[in-house]
Amino acid sequence: MQTEQLTSCDNKLPRLEYYAPAGEAPDCSPIRSFPFTIGRVEPADLTVNSKRVSREHAVIESHEGRLRIRDLQSTNGTFLNGEPVDEAWLTDGDILTIADTEFTFLSGEEQSASVATQVMNESHGPESKPRPVRELIVGVRRMHELSVHRAINVGLRPIVNLNDEQIVGWSAYSSIDEPNTALDDGIVLESSSYLASSLRQIARVKSLKEFSKRQLTDRLLVRVNPVELEDIATLTSHLGRLADEVPEAITLVAILPGKAAHQVQNTEELPAVLEEAGMGLAFVSTVADSRQLLDFAGLKPSNVVMTAKSFREMSQRRASRRQLTAVLAAFLEMGCQPIADGITDDDDDWHVLSDLGFELAYRMKNIEELAVPTIVEADENEKQETDPADRAQSTRAEIAEVTARIRASWSK
């Protein structure tokens, strides 16, 4: 396929961009002259190496300042936003499907940035930066491909009893927990869209499957993003279905950031669903913020994961040590077991934690010794094949939903 690296592509030119499912940066095919032909072999301006592409498949033409796509009576047709077309006008963000290859059309016109600013800018002050429409499209397209192929990697961190170094539980994490900000995945993942919710559920399901496949026992902590609380019906449905798959030997625990405790308390459905499903509740909090969690004792969390820059340093400061000891005692009194995070596997660090009053901690390294890889690759058998037209229609709908969700959140 004749493309250029995006960094070398003139963004002022109209262009077709191709996004690989694996998540690499998009490739760019600038449209420098008209007519711009698309086909399987040269002298087409854009060649697509596929037997399903005709030798002369389609052409992009300029007419009175506008661009249009025209099918050249190809065998397998040309699709625009999931619909077969003989001829159609092109606008920013359109998804053009040639056989089984998808491209996103961008006009390169100045108004693209202004339209994107209205959609994506949180503030309109002098320091606000326009977010090109391409960034939203990149995020949605990448996340959509991850969802279709279930290409989310998962890993497991052991939780260890400091007294005997026995593993008493596991905490799941995945490749979508830290969005790729360079590719603007966070735009999608931090929205309350159905696409983002589905991705998080896929990560939880895959973590549970890996946990069960390795015949691990005790408890498994699975992450819930606070933004999921905005659609409590979907979240409770997802967690309920997840709980149905849990073997008897496993206790499933939903873990959220401590700042979400107030939201959870105001949401009657979630605690009720967790209790009915036999699931526990946990929070992640810094030592300083953990005192606030004590205000939500009614939620009865089974665990609180406490983080600190240096537990060793805290142990050497009388005031900090006294504060931490009091917080730990309060959690234990309410039946909540604290877990220390952010330490090394050094024996001295473990002794510091024991001396402070911790009984549990995340193990930081040597996970491979436990026969659990740091990252579990996506299962090829779980990948889903979808029709290009269906995929294009779904992506367009997801772009619209994510945009609407972001607009709604900023208007609150």
Side-chain angles (χ1 to χ4, degrees):
M1 189 157 33
Q2 296 172 335
T3 60
E4 300 179 8
Q5 290 295 318
L6 190 59
T7 53
S8 65
C9 187
D10 188 346
N11 289 341
K12 295 182 180 180
L13 289 174
R15 60 199 182 276
L16 295 176
E17 292 184 0
Y18 169 74
Y19 305 89
E24 295 90 351
D27 290 325
C28 168
S29 297
I31 304 173
R32 295 190 170 94
S33 60
F34 301 97
F36 181 86
T37 55
I38 304 171
R40 189 174 71 249
V41 296
E42 295 182 354
D45 297 296
L46 173 59
T47 57
V48 181
N49 186 20
S50 170
K51 292 181 179 180
R52 298 188 66 237
V53 176
S54 298
R55 293 174 62 87
E56 296 180 347
H57 196 104
V59 62
I60 296 176
E61 302 170 320
S62 177
H63 181 71
E64 297 181 353
R66 298 181 65 188
L67 302 186
R68 63 186 176 190
I69 182 75
R70 182 163 59 86
D71 183 74
L72 298 177
Q73 297 182 337
S74 62
T75 302
N76 292 300
T78 298
F79 291 78
L80 189 65
N81 301 323
E83 297 290 340
V85 295
D86 293 324
E87 185 174 309
W89 296 110
L90 292 170
T91 58
D92 268 312
D94 279 343
I95 298 172
L96 178 64
T97 306
I98 304 295
D100 50 6
T101 303
E102 290 183 8
F103 299 92
T104 298
F105 171 78
L106 294 170
S107 69
E109 296 178 356
E110 292 291 338
Q111 59 262 36
S112 298
S114 63
V115 171
T117 301
Q118 294 175 16
V119 174
M120 298 305 301
N121 264 357
E122 182 170 5
S123 62
H124 299 282
E127 296 183 358
S128 62
K129 297 180 180 180
R131 303 182 70 89
V133 101
R134 182 184 66 80
E135 296 183 5
L136 176 60
I137 296 169
V138 169
V140 174
R141 288 288 299 277
R142 275 177 42 78
M143 296 299 99
H144 179 72
E145 289 299 322
L146 291 181
S147 176
V148 168
H149 298 290
R150 302 180 70 84
I152 298 174
N153 299 330
V154 298
L156 301 169
R157 290 184 67 191
I159 302 169
V160 180
N161 187 309
L162 296 174
N163 297 321
D164 55 15
E165 298 190 19
Q166 294 296 307
I167 296 174
V168 296
W170 301 80
S171 182
Y173 64 97
S174 73
S175 53
I176 64 170
D177 291 333
E178 296 182 4
N180 188 331
T181 53
L183 294 176
D184 272 310
D185 294 353
I187 293 178
V188 181
L189 289 173
E190 294 306 314
S191 72
S192 57
S193 64
Y194 184 76
L195 173 60
S197 178
S198 297
L199 286 166
R200 297 187 193 100
Q201 179 68 357
I202 290 171
R204 289 188 285 260
V205 170
K206 294 194 72 170
S207 297
L208 179 59
K209 285 184 177 180
E210 187 63 30
F211 192 85
S212 301
K213 183 172 71 175
R214 295 181 179 276
Q215 299 181 336
L216 303 176
T217 56
D218 302 307
R219 64 181 52 206
L220 174 64
L221 278 61
V222 292
R223 300 193 184 195
V224 173
N225 191 301
V227 76
E228 293 182 87
L229 297 173
E230 297 179 18
D231 186 356
I232 196 63
T234 298
L235 175 60
T236 54
S237 174
H238 281 172
L239 293 179
R241 292 203 300 270
L242 190 68
D244 291 340
E245 302 298 323
V246 177
E248 291 184 2
I250 299 175
T251 299
L252 206 59
V253 180
I255 184 167
L256 296 94
K259 62 183 180 181
H262 186 266
Q263 289 176 269
V264 175
Q265 189 176 52
N266 291 337
T267 305
E268 297 180 0
E269 295 94 331
L270 182 58
V273 167
L274 294 178
E275 184 176 357
E276 182 179 351
M279 292 179 62
L281 177 65
F283 293 102
V284 180
S285 178
T286 63
V287 172
D289 291 339
S290 293
R291 298 181 66 181
Q292 299 178 6
L293 281 176
L294 295 174
D295 296 333
F296 304 102
L299 294 174
K300 300 178 181 178
S302 58
N303 298 98
V304 56
V305 177
M306 301 179 68
T307 63
K309 290 183 179 179
S310 175
F311 284 107
R312 182 185 296 275
E313 186 176 320
M314 292 189 70
S315 70
Q316 296 170 352
R317 295 180 178 180
R318 184 175 301 176
S320 298
R321 183 187 182 96
R322 188 184 305 117
Q323 175 190 2
L324 177 56
T325 303
V327 170
L328 290 176
F331 278 126
L332 290 171
E333 187 176 344
M334 59 187 263
C336 175
Q337 192 81 354
I339 303 172
D341 188 16
I343 63 163
T344 68
D345 280 349
D346 185 87
D347 288 342
D348 289 342
D349 279 350
W350 285 41
H351 289 148
V352 167
L353 291 178
S354 296
D355 190 42
L356 287 171
F358 281 101
E359 294 182 10
L360 305 179
Y362 279 134
R363 186 170 181 177
M364 297 298 294
K365 62 180 181 180
N366 296 330
I367 296 180
E368 64 277 4
E369 297 177 2
L370 306 170
V372 179
T374 303
I375 287 291
V376 179
E377 296 295 335
D379 188 349
E380 289 290 332
N381 295 327
E382 290 185 338
K383 293 185 177 182
Q384 303 171 2
E385 295 297 328
T386 58
D387 183 85
D390 292 340
R391 195 156 66 243
Q393 284 182 320
S394 179
T395 305
R396 289 284 290 186
E398 285 156 354
I399 290 173
E401 191 208 359
V402 170
T403 301
R405 295 274 189 175
I406 294 172
R407 276 176 166 169
S409 66
W410 288 344
S411 64
K412 291 179 180 179

